Amino acid sequence: MDAGGNSDLDLDKYDSDEQVKIICLGDSAVGKSKLMERFLMDGYRPQQLSTYALTLYKYTTTINGQTILVDFWDTAGQERFRSMHPSYYHKSHACVMVFDVQRKITYKNLTVWYKELREYRPEIPCLVVANKIDADMKVTQKSFNFAKKQGLPFYFVSAADGTNVVKVFKDAIQMALSYKRNSSDFMDEVMRELENFDLENKEESSDKEETQEEKPSSA
Ligand SMILES: Nc1nc2c(ncn2[C@@H]2O[C@H](COP(=O)(O)OP(=O)(O)OP(=O)(O)O)[C@@H](O)[C@H]2O)c(=O)[nH]1
Ligand SMILES: [Mg+2]
């Protein structure tokens, strides 16, 4: 399930300069998939890896002359799974967190999603999205303080009529890129170190194997 392992291949395939991963969180039926579909309708690429639990959409865009490959990760039926597998969060650069303005419980559960997100990704940008405003425009006058309290950007959107959908995802891509370029996230540093360490170890051990092979003849 880890697309990170293919990232070099993907960069070649799409001839892109940089790659970011954006995840989507929120209760079942808040509209996560519909929001992504709405955004991706134009720039949609048929490459879509789908399992019963996970859909990965690939999207390319050009920002300041650079081609950016975006991996959007979407999950299904989260009420069944409750919490996400750690690989879902792994190496993500931004998160779009969605609730349904018509169902209060989905707003309350943002606290739960946010807590889990921060356990895995303490510092990635997170955008809070109030979906389905088409059903009752009056909700945009209500205040939803969760985002403000946590200091997160907040958007009223509708996957049904398209309100603010492009804005949310464009902002998410921009934030993901800034995060990737400027991150001083401690865990990211550690991951980078570990990856380098892994490579070095492999090189060392293959050296060793060669010298060990020679030994038996001298013994
Ligand atoms: N009125 C209205 N309905 C919406 C909107 N977005 C999604 N829906 C409806 O809400 C339902 C759930 O949407 P999905 O996108 O499948 O929800 P999801 O968050 O992906 O749900 P899971 O995959 O189960 O986690 C569908 O019946 C959609 O048609 C919206 O902006 N307005
Ligand atoms: Mg879905």
Side-chain angles (χ1 to χ4, degrees):
M1 273 213 219
D2 186 1
N6 295 324
S7 59
D8 290 344
L9 281 177
D10 285 344
L11 288 177
D12 285 347
K13 192 162 100 193
Y14 293 93
D15 200 21
S16 70
D17 301 306
E18 201 148 16
Q19 183 170 22
V20 289
K21 170 179 171 180
I22 298 179
I23 57 174
C24 202
L25 291 178
D27 282 5
S28 190
V30 293
K32 299 180 295 297
S33 301
K34 292 284 170 219
L35 283 167
M36 286 202 190
E37 280 164 24
R38 161 69 68 171
F39 175 68
L40 293 166
M41 250 189 260
D42 299 328
Y44 184 72
R45 285 186 168 264
Q47 284 84 357
Q48 185 188 114
L49 308 176
S50 190
T51 70
Y52 75 105
L54 174 76
T55 310
L56 174 60
Y57 302 93
K58 298 214 170 265
Y59 171 81
T60 47
T61 183
T62 310
I63 299 175
N64 300 331
Q66 282 205 309
T67 309
I68 314 296
L69 174 61
V70 188
D71 282 337
F72 285 111
W73 290 51
D74 179 29
T75 53
Q78 281 164 347
E79 259 147 28
R80 270 185 292 136
F81 296 101
R82 226 28 189 159
S83 64
M84 294 291 114
H85 189 273
S87 62
Y88 188 70
Y89 295 100
H90 186 62
K91 288 185 177 175
S92 54
H93 302 106
C95 170
V96 176
M97 216 167 61
V98 187
F99 72 98
D100 174 349
V101 287
Q102 303 299 315
R103 285 185 298 141
K104 209 170 177 180
I105 183 69
T106 67
Y107 174 68
K108 281 192 172 165
N109 283 339
L110 289 184
T111 321
V112 184
W113 288 115
Y114 192 63
K115 186 165 169 285
E116 186 172 286
L117 170 71
R118 287 312 180 211
E119 277 167 22
Y120 292 103
R121 302 298 280 153
E123 291 181 15
I124 62 167
C126 176
L127 301 79
V128 181
V129 167
N131 189 32
K132 309 197 188 181
I133 57 163
D134 58 282
D136 175 12
M137 285 303 285
K138 277 188 289 215
V139 294
T140 56
Q141 260 113 62
K142 274 194 200 165
S143 59
F144 295 94
N145 283 324
F146 173 81
K148 205 190 240 171
K149 257 196 233 158
Q150 302 290 344
L152 305 171
F154 178 80
Y155 305 78
F156 281 113
V157 311
S158 164
D161 68 18
T163 307
N164 265 342
V165 175
V166 171
K167 168 95 180 117
V168 165
F169 286 99
K170 293 244 147 148
D171 285 2
I173 295 169
Q174 202 68 61
M175 288 178 205
L177 274 171
S178 330
Y179 171 80
K180 193 178 181 188
R181 286 168 183 167
N182 308 316
S183 160
S184 61
D185 193 305
F186 174 68
M187 277 315 289
D188 281 358
E189 293 287 332
V190 173
M191 292 302 291
R192 272 198 289 273
E193 289 294 320
L194 283 176
E195 272 161 21
N196 291 337
F197 183 70
D198 235 27
L199 280 175
E200 281 163 21
N201 267 359
K202 267 180 209 146
E203 278 163 20
E204 268 174 32
S205 63
S206 63
D207 286 351
K208 263 182 211 147
E209 275 162 29
E210 277 166 32
T211 49
Q212 272 165 0
E213 267 167 33
E214 287 164 15
K215 267 185 188 161
S217 61
S218 67

